[in-house]
Amino acid sequence: MPVQDTPPVQGTPVQDTPVQGLPAAAARPPVPPPAWRPRTDPAPLLPDPEPYRVLGTDAVAGADPALLLRLYTELVRGRRYNAQATALTKQGRLAVYPSSTGQEACQVAAALALRERDWLFPSYRDTLAAVARGLDPVRALTLLRGDWHTGYDPREHRIAPLSTPLATQLPHAVGLAHAARLQGDEVAALALVGDGGTSEGDFHEALNFAAVWRAPVVFLVQNNGFAISVPLAKQTAAPSLAHKAVGYGMPGRLVDGNDVVAVHEVVGEALDRARSGGGPTLIEAVTYRLDAHTNADDATRYRERDEVESWRAHDPVRLLERELTGRGVLDEEGVRRAAESAETMAARLRERMNEDPVLDPMELFAHVYAERTAQLREQEAQLRAELEAAAESDAAGEGAGERR
């Protein structure tokens, strides 16, 4: 089809003279063509000026006590899980562990806000969210152990693979959510990402596609202050990360990421909106990573101790515990039961992680492609022949030793 020239806007004469040669008034018409007008009213999309909170306000009185206790139990378990996984790295049982200590509220609240048919798209630091979603705590650590693929069947658990590349899971979440919407399947996708991930191209592409397609997906940015050692101020000059939503035509929400009740409420509302056809939402949860980026990082090189200690006073576990005990929802017995449950989980995790896994090298070729390529089949045959030859050599050596 031949490309046609765009006709001039009515009332605007075609100029043969270069713009640079025109007087200023003629070079810039007083009113732009109608195409400039915004497609969406930006006002309703803007986030609140301050992070939304529930704890410490009258709003907490309306929360379901059973939900509050469940959130508390999961927070305590999550804190213990982080501590135990970090200890396993020092024992050589894990290659690396990116702790989420200090930001457990984001992950617990997000996981519990999902329905059974929804999908979770985590980043590498969101192991706790996967566990709170119901994934086996040991299988959640499989990738960080250097073991079999991602460690679990994503379709069975509706949890996308935990992986290290930043923000690559976001376009996948949009694609799944859009496909579900086309099929009439009432499914929402929740995609987790850190503040560092918002500097990746995948983040912007995902938000743009999600908004244009009105895909049922929610983006939860856990703004923990640093992308490894890079502070947020060196990544963006935006008023907040939640403000970025306006540029894509979706609502932005700003929430206190250490207030587990507030995060659960905001994420739950966004998921409901997504399922009902309202489109995507970008949520920024303001939190803080109390531990180093990973066990291989020295956080003292780029942040002050006083800063860390000030955030300890806003610890998500203590915030909720103080609120619940003050309101009579949680007593000493409840605190003890939650701690015991966490210790039982940690002991079982240690026991199972201390068992050497039985590895099958041939599993390298499983779950790579739906149908194995010719090159993959060739590599598989080569490895099988090498393993068989090594086994025959070992058997021959043992036989010779017995004869001697």
Side-chain angles (χ1 to χ4, degrees):
M1 180 181 294
V3 178
Q4 297 181 350
D5 292 333
T6 304
V9 179
Q10 264 194 338
T12 304
V14 177
Q15 300 285 350
D16 293 328
T17 308
V19 172
Q20 292 88 342
L22 294 173
R28 178 172 296 179
V31 180
W36 78 272
R37 298 191 180 282
R39 299 177 57 83
T40 306
D41 180 7
L45 307 181
L46 289 168
D48 294 331
E50 296 292 331
Y52 176 69
R53 296 184 61 198
V54 172
L55 297 179
T57 73
D58 293 337
V60 73
D64 179 8
L67 173 62
L68 295 176
L69 289 174
R70 187 182 178 195
L71 289 169
Y72 175 73
T73 300
E74 290 296 335
L75 279 183
V76 173
R77 284 168 55 86
R79 177 61 55 85
R80 188 66 186 88
Y81 184 85
N82 274 319
Q84 186 58 67
T86 300
L88 288 168
T89 64
K90 299 175 182 179
Q91 298 164 9
R93 288 296 178 179
L94 279 181
V96 66
Y97 184 70
S99 173
S100 58
T101 297
Q103 55 189 89
E104 295 96 340
C106 298
Q107 303 198 19
V108 166
L112 297 190
L114 290 165
R115 293 181 183 174
E116 185 177 354
R117 288 186 55 76
D118 293 336
W119 272 78
L120 175 68
F121 284 79
S123 72
Y124 62 92
R125 195 180 298 280
D126 300 319
T127 313
L128 180 55
V131 173
R133 173 81 165 142
L135 185 62
D136 180 346
V138 173
R139 300 187 80 183
L141 295 174
T142 299
L143 186 69
L144 301 172
R145 195 179 192 178
D147 199 350
W148 183 88
H149 293 287
T150 194
Y152 56 90
D153 181 352
R155 184 172 296 181
E156 176 188 354
H157 298 280
R158 293 187 173 250
I159 303 173
L162 289 149
S163 57
T164 301
L166 293 183
T168 54
Q169 73 276 17
L170 304 187
H172 299 166
V174 176
L176 182 140
H178 180 54
R181 181 170 176 264
L182 292 177
Q183 293 176 347
D185 197 355
E186 192 175 321
V187 169
L190 175 60
L192 308 184
V193 67
D195 50 288
T198 66
S199 295
E200 296 288 332
D202 301 74
F203 172 83
H204 303 280
E205 292 155 10
L207 264 67
N208 194 55
F209 274 116
V212 170
W213 288 340
R214 295 184 65 81
V217 60
V218 175
F219 303 96
L220 176 60
V221 179
Q222 298 173 75
N223 176 9
N224 64 20
F226 291 88
I228 308 183
S229 60
V230 180
L232 185 65
K234 290 189 176 181
Q235 291 192 71
T236 180
S240 74
L241 295 175
H243 277 79
K244 293 179 181 288
V246 184
Y248 298 99
M250 69 178 71
R253 296 295 307 274
L254 187 61
V255 62
D256 183 342
N258 287 14
D259 185 334
V260 67
V261 185
V263 177
H264 185 272
E265 179 182 325
V266 170
V267 172
E269 289 175 353
L271 288 169
D272 287 342
R273 178 178 177 273
R275 294 189 204 96
S276 64
T281 303
L282 174 64
I283 302 169
E284 177 188 355
V286 182
T287 183
Y288 195 80
R289 167 171 54 80
L290 291 175
D291 287 347
H293 174 68
T294 68
N295 51 292
D297 174 42
D298 179 8
T300 61
R301 297 177 62 185
Y302 54 84
R303 63 185 191 184
E304 299 295 331
R305 181 174 180 176
D306 289 347
E307 177 183 314
V308 179
E309 292 305 314
S310 68
W311 274 96
R312 290 191 191 279
H314 199 60
D315 180 281
V317 181
R318 300 293 166 248
L319 282 178
L320 184 59
E321 183 177 299
R322 186 163 57 243
E323 186 80 42
L324 297 187
T325 53
R327 291 181 176 272
V329 177
L330 179 70
D331 56 17
E332 291 184 5
E333 177 63 18
V335 172
R336 184 187 64 78
R337 284 198 303 268
E340 286 184 352
S341 174
E343 285 302 325
T344 299
M345 177 272 300
R348 182 62 180 144
L349 181 62
R350 286 195 303 273
E351 178 184 344
R352 293 176 63 195
M353 289 294 291
N354 282 330
E355 298 172 358
D356 290 330
V358 179
L359 303 178
D360 179 3
M362 301 309 298
E363 287 184 343
L364 282 169
F365 307 99
H367 309 290
V368 180
Y369 295 99
E371 295 183 10
R372 295 179 187 176
T373 63
Q375 186 180 37
L376 202 63
R377 290 195 299 270
E378 180 183 348
Q379 292 171 352
E380 182 182 20
Q382 180 181 348
L383 178 59
R384 181 178 285 109
E386 291 175 357
L387 291 174
E388 290 173 353
E392 291 175 0
S393 176
D394 290 344
E398 291 176 2
E402 291 175 358
R403 288 192 295 273
R404 287 196 298 271

